[in-house]
């Protein structure tokens, strides 16, 4: 079986050190990088009498990159820069994890650094005071309608269980945390015996293990005491509750008591979830959205915990309560049908294949390290979650019928409604390596260009079809037409009805997503290698013969309007629309769809757009997988559209940003967003390499903006400065999210950092670190099919060589001097324009 073949290639080394630290190492020589993670068996539901303070999350902030008895915070930051590290941390209900990905020559160094930070944190007074402000801002900015609804649903379902308390903690309780409490909590929970260190990457196991064993002697251990949590409620009768907030549409959560991840029922529940809403031909979507038009969105979630029962959740969003209620009845009838044995065997087979394909996809060092750590914490088995594939394949129709009957009945269902506020009368209811595997390009007359990478180690194929143009070529007054086209191409086709096409995709394990950028459009597919020929036939047919029928347009408009309503409740989206519309020339990159423009789009508009983008230099097919160029060429020539002659729409003559004025937007959100923008240059301009270096200086993992706004002062939750360029225009943008009271301080901090770059030369070491960090970030894309295909597609559409980054651009960046950086800052950072979105002071 493919599953067993796949699992047999996984080999890990596992050991428990004298101090109790569990270590798991897996060699992965596919790329010259290493991911190291340290998992603490500590999350928000294990805080005991401290529940509500958010101590697990606060410890994450203090430990991650903080000072230790060995080094200061600044010294660790310098080490990360030297290692070209990509670091992060997270806290969940059940785990706190610290992870770093580095070029593999630093494998031992990053393991040492992580162990020092995690097991010898000094809980520095200044860092504690600073993180109070940072976390407080994080709590404020997470206070969105979606989050409030989710929290309210958890309180309704889980009652007083700690899982119903936000991971960040309650605002007042978090603000009252003292340094003494943090020290006590840290010493109690941050023992090596309470941790797992996982490393996956390009290293030699015995050498790395010997190094970790030696370093571990610095950290004395204590006995391992597993975390505990109370049992979650079990319901034997139905309940209903209702919540009102500023949301655009009614929605509900249907919730049942689930089970622990270690129980056999958990796998069956996962299969039921995928059976109902998984894949392109989602069963419930077909019924509720496509057939009966009762819902905008439907999804399911099998939420399991390690030491307590979780929940099985189905969510439905609709336009009015009556349709929502009808949708609930249909969902329950489908569950009852499953309970009675009414199971479509072909769909069940597709479902289990989709779950298998999901694990085969994106098999990176980062993902494997995460699965390994979770497996150790859950069952002391590094391959526990990989082995679930075998369990999934063994789930029968009878198994899921039995689970549905015993666990998912209407009598045990808890129904939680959320309505818009105006419905309040209703009740009840994330050395440079360029890759050993080259990309090759083929250009033929009348067919799309082909860019391919033959990866003999991959069991999966990643395919991308890209078109130049993007949303900037939407018809005037009908913004959103290109996004609508992106939702049609390769999915809605005259050759099949939509339901039949989605079922075909699921039979072949094809996942699809599309993204419409400002100046190019990409459609991405992933599917198993075993299904290559059939998948290419199906995808080519769909792209060649798009369906522009009234039904197709109506369905997509409804979905776009729903997303637009959701976006309008997001302050970051609103600010982006505001400042880009002011920054870029009219009718280019600052355009935004609205209800009128979406509703005005007609079939003729989409046909005209399709004809416009379907020209020779404007289309490229890129592919990564174990497929020969000959097979790819044969598939494209026989199944993909034949093109008209024409140039790339992503290549436009250079233009300039002119006549800017400072401006502000008053909106209803608490967050204040501050942007300072400078006109710069188009892509491939001679100054682009030095601007790229400044971008890394201001927005990289150890950026000056981040340090100025969060490191030295408690001013923002996030902030950075970055260069954005198209073929015809460019800008450098400094942006931060802050509070109204700190707006002027953020502005001053921006100007101070800009003046430093204009007045002081970078040291040779800092400049070298910036360059290496840029190259390291490029390496991080080597395991991500979407990123590497998108880069090469865009380079082709922009008229550049597909190895431009690794060759020409890299050499130009290497040539950048400290004087170049200062001169570019003097040249471009002159004046600038402020764009601010803020709440009304009188109501703040």
């Amino acid at each position: 079986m493919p599953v067993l073949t796949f699992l047999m290639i996984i080999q890990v080394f596992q050991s428990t050190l004298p101090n109790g630290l569990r270590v798991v190492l897996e060699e992965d020589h596919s790329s010259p990088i290493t991911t190291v993670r340290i998992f603490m068996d500590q999350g928000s539901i294990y805080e005991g009498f401290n529940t509500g303070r958010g101590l697990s999350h606060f410890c994450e902030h203090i430990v991650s990159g903080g000072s230790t008895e060995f080094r200061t915070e600044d010294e660790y930051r310098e080490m990360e820069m030297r290692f070209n590290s990509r670091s992060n941390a997270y806290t969940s209900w059940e785990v706190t994890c610290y992870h770093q990905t580095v070029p593999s020559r630093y494998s031992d160094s990053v393991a040492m650094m992580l162990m020092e930070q995690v097991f010898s944190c000094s809980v520095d007074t200044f860092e504690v005071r600073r993180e109070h402000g940072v976390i407080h801002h994080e709590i404020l900015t997470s206070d969105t309608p979606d989050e409030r609804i989710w929290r309210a649903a958890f309180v309704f379902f889980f009652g007083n269980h700690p899982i119903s308390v936000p991971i960040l903690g309650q605002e007042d309780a978090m603000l009252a945390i003292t340094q003494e409490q943090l020290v006590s909590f840290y010493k109690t929970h941050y023992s090596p015996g309470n941790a797992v260190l996982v490393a996956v990457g390009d290293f030699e196991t015995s050498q790395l293990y010997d190094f970790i064993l030696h370093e571990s002697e610095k950290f004395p251990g204590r006995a391992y005491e597993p975390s505990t949590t109370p049992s979650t409620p079990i319901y034997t009768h139905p309940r209903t509750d209702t919540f009102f907030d500023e949301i655009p549409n009614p929605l509900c959560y249907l919730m049942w008591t689930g089970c622990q991840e270690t129980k056999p029922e958990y796998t069956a529940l996962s299969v039921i979830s995928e059976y109902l809403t998984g894949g392109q031909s989602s069963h419930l979507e077909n019924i509720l959205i496509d057939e009966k038009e009762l819902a905008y969105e439907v999804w399911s979630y099998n939420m399991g915990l390690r030491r307590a029962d979780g929940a099985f959740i189905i969510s439905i969003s609709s336009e009015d309560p009556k349709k929502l209620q009808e949708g609930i009845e249909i969902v329950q009838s489908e569950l009852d049908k499953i309970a009675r044995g009414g199971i479509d065997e072909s769909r069940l087979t597709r479902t289990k294949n989709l779950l298998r394909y999901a694990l085969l996809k994106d098999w990176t060092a980062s993902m494997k390290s995460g699965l390994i750590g979770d497996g150790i914490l859950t069952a002391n088995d590094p391959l526990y979650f990989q082995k679930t594939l075998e369990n999934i394949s063994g789930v029968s129709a009878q198994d899921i019928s039995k689970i549905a009957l015993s666990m998912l009945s209407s009598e045990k269902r808890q129904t939680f409604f959320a309505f818009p506020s105006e419905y309040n009368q209703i009740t009840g209811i994330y050395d440079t390596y360029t890759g050993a595997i080259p990309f090759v390009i083929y250009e033929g007359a009348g067919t799309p260009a082909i860019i391919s990478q033959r990866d003999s180690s991959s069991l999966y194929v990643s395919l991308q079809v890209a078109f130049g143009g993007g949303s900037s070529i939407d018809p005037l007054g009908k913004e959103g037409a290109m996004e609508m086209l992106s939702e049609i191409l390769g999915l809605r086709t005259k050759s099949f009805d939509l339901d039949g096409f989605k079922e075909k995709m699921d039979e072949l394990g094809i996942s699809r997503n599309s993204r419409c950028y400002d100046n190019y459009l990409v459609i991405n597919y992933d599917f198993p290698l075993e299904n290559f020929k059939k998948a290419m036939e199906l995808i080519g047919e769909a792209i060649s013969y798009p369906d522009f029928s009234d039904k197709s347009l109506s369905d997509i408009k409804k979905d776009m309007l729903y997303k637009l309503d959701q976006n309008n409740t997001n302050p970051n989206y609103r600010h982006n629309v505001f400042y880009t519309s002011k920054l870029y020339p009219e009718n280019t990159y600052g355009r935004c769809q609205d209800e009128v423009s979406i509703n005005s789009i007609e079939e003729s508009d989409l046909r005209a757009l399709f004809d416009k983008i379907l020209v020779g230099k404007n289309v490229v097919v890129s592919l990564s997988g174990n497929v020969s160029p000959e097979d790819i060429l044969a598939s494209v020539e026989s199944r993909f559209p034949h093109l008209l002659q024409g140039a790339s729409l992503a290549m436009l003559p250079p233009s300039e940003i002119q006549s800017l004025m400072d401006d502000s937007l008053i909106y209803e959100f608490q967050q204040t967003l501050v942007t300072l923008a400078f006109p710069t240059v188009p892509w491939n301009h001679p100054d682009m390499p030095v601007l790229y270096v400044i971008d890394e200086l201001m927005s990289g993992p150890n950026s000056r903006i981040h340090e100025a706004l969060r490191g030295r002062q408690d001013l923002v939750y996030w902030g950075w400065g970055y260069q954005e360029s198209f073929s015809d225009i460019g800008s450098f943008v400094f942006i931060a999210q802050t509070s109204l009271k700190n707006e002027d301080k953020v502005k001053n901090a921006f100007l101070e950092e800009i003046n430093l770059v204009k007045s002081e030369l970078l040291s040779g070491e800092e400049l070298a670190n910036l360059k290496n960090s840029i190259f390291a970030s490029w390496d991080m894309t080597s395991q991500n099919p979407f990123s590497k295909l998108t880069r090469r597609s865009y380079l082709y559409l922009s008229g550049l060589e597909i190895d431009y980054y690794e060759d020409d651009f890299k050499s130009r960046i290497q040539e950048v001097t400290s004087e170049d950086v200062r001169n570019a800052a003097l040249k471009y950072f002159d004046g600038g324009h402020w764009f601010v979105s803020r709440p009304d002071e009188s109501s703040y």
Side-chain angles (χ1 to χ4, degrees), residues 61-81:
H61 275 247
I62 297 298
V63 170
S64 182
S67 301
T68 74
E69 62 184 85
F70 300 99
R71 298 170 226 275
T72 66
E73 187 177 44
D74 288 341
E75 288 174 321
Y76 285 116
R77 187 177 296 112
E78 291 171 4
M79 290 173 69
E80 288 187 11
M81 292 177 65

Side-chain angles (χ1 to χ4, degrees), residues 81-137:
M81 292 177 65
R82 191 165 67 250
F83 299 162
N84 306 312
S85 171
R86 291 299 180 267
S87 63
N88 214 328
Y90 64 83
T91 303
S92 69
W93 295 315
E94 297 188 282
V95 70
T96 307
C97 179
Y98 305 87
H99 55 97
Q100 301 220 22
T101 301
V102 296
S104 55
R105 62 183 179 274
Y106 299 120
S107 300
D108 53 1
S109 299
V110 77
M112 173 198 69
M113 181 168 65
L114 272 177
M115 285 193 291
E116 289 182 355
Q117 291 172 336
V118 172
F119 300 130
S120 64
C121 180
S122 63
V123 194
D124 177 85
T125 303
F126 168 77
E127 294 168 17
V128 171
R129 185 169 62 248
R130 180 189 67 203
E131 296 307 318
H132 260 117
V134 172
I135 297 170
H136 187 212
H137 197 80

Side-chain angles (χ1 to χ4, degrees), residues 557-612:
K557 286 181 181 179
K558 187 182 298 184
D559 186 56
M560 290 175 66
L561 290 171
Y562 171 72
K563 291 178 182 176
L564 181 62
D565 285 338
Q566 303 300 314
N567 287 338
N568 282 330
T569 66
N570 185 326
N572 298 322
Y573 173 84
R574 293 269 290 273
H575 179 69
N576 180 266
V577 171
F578 162 64
Y579 88 79
T580 55
S581 67
K582 302 290 182 178
L583 177 59
Y584 294 112
E586 189 177 2
N587 300 325
T588 58
Y589 308 108
R591 298 166 61 183
C592 179
Q593 57 193 258
D594 56 29
E595 185 175 353
V596 174
S597 68
I598 291 172
N599 282 324
S600 70
I601 299 167
E602 300 176 354
E603 178 182 348
S604 57
D605 300 312
L606 297 180
R607 290 191 181 277
L609 274 176
F610 185 52
D611 290 342
K612 189 171 185 177

Side-chain angles (χ1 to χ4, degrees), residues 258-272 301-305 310-312 384-385 388 392 395 403 407:
C259 67
Q260 292 178 241
E261 290 177 326
T262 52
K263 292 182 178 179
E265 294 87 347
Y266 181 78
T267 304
L269 284 171
S270 297
V271 173
I272 294 175
Y301 176 33
N302 180 30
M303 191 196 88
L305 300 172
F312 187 90
Y384 179 78
F385 286 102
T388 57
I392 289 168
V395 174
I403 296 300
M407 301 181 69

Side-chain angles (χ1 to χ4, degrees), residues 59 126 130 203 218 261 285 297 305 312 317 320 393 448 461 464 479 485 498 507 510 545 610 694 777 799 813:
C59 261
F126 168 77
R130 180 189 67 203
F203 52 76
K218 299 190 294 190
E261 290 177 326
E285 283 187 10
E297 184 180 58
L305 300 172
F312 187 90
S317 178
D320 66 64
S393 65
V461 175
Q464 183 176 105
E479 287 82 358
L485 190 61
L498 183 60
E507 288 173 3
I510 302 173
Y545 304 105
F610 185 52
I694 299 176
S777 69
I813 288 176

Side-chain angles (χ1 to χ4, degrees), residues 130-197:
R130 180 189 67 203
E131 296 307 318
H132 260 117
V134 172
I135 297 170
H136 187 212
H137 197 80
E138 192 174 351
I139 290 174
L140 292 176
T141 55
S142 68
D143 188 25
T144 64
D146 286 345
E147 282 297 315
R148 289 196 293 270
I149 293 169
W150 186 250
R151 292 199 300 266
F154 267 45
V155 171
F156 164 67
F157 187 81
F158 290 106
N160 292 324
H161 190 276
I163 199 171
S164 65
V165 178
I167 293 172
L168 303 182
Q170 305 286 6
E171 182 178 0
D172 291 341
M174 186 282 299
L175 289 172
I177 292 174
T178 66
Q179 184 177 19
E180 292 75 17
Q181 290 171 336
L182 277 170
V183 170
S184 175
F185 185 86
Y186 172 79
K187 288 183 176 179
T188 299
H189 298 283
Y190 274 62
S191 162
N194 203 37
V196 179
L197 185 154

Side-chain angles (χ1 to χ4, degrees), residues 435-576:
I437 308 173
F439 279 86
V440 296
I441 187 167
Y442 170 83
E443 294 178 289
T447 60
I450 301 170
I451 301 173
S452 68
Q453 178 195 48
R454 185 163 192 177
D455 182 357
S456 60
S457 67
S458 178
L459 297 172
Y460 234 76
V461 175
S462 295
L463 173 75
Q464 183 176 105
V465 185
F467 303 85
S471 59
S472 63
I473 67 166
D474 276 356
L476 293 180
K478 298 190 176 184
E479 287 82 358
M482 277 297 292
E483 181 179 337
M484 189 174 293
L485 190 61
S486 76
E487 294 300 319
I488 292 175
L489 291 182
L491 180 61
R492 296 174 180 264
T493 171
K494 292 186 292 186
S495 302
F496 300 90
D497 68 87
L498 183 60
D499 292 342
F501 185 75
K502 288 181 175 180
E503 288 186 2
K504 288 272 188 182
M505 294 177 73
D506 284 347
E507 288 173 3
L508 298 174
I510 302 173
S511 62
R512 173 199 180 274
N513 67 78
S514 61
R515 299 189 188 182
C516 185
Y517 298 97
D518 284 317
N519 61 341
Y520 63 108
L521 160 66
V522 296
I523 306 172
N524 302 282
Y525 300 91
D526 297 286
F527 48 85
L529 175 64
E530 63 199 66
N531 296 335
F532 170 74
K533 289 186 178 180
K534 291 182 178 180
M536 292 292 285
E537 289 177 2
L538 189 68
I539 295 167
E541 190 80 8
I543 290 178
S544 299
Y545 304 105
D547 175 20
F548 297 134
S549 66
D550 291 343
K551 177 66 167 64
S552 182
L553 269 63
S554 176
D555 290 345
I556 296 172
K557 286 181 181 179
K558 187 182 298 184
D559 186 56
M560 290 175 66
L561 290 171
Y562 171 72
K563 291 178 182 176
L564 181 62
D565 285 338
Q566 303 300 314
N567 287 338
N568 282 330
T569 66
N570 185 326
N572 298 322
Y573 173 84
R574 293 269 290 273
H575 179 69
N576 180 266

Side-chain angles (χ1 to χ4, degrees), residues 1-8 353 356-357 360 389 459 530:
M1 291 175 61
V3 174
L4 296 178
T5 301
F6 178 69
L7 291 173
M8 286 173 61
N353 278 334
R356 175 167 67 94
Y357 295 150
L360 295 178
L389 285 174
L459 297 172
E530 63 199 66

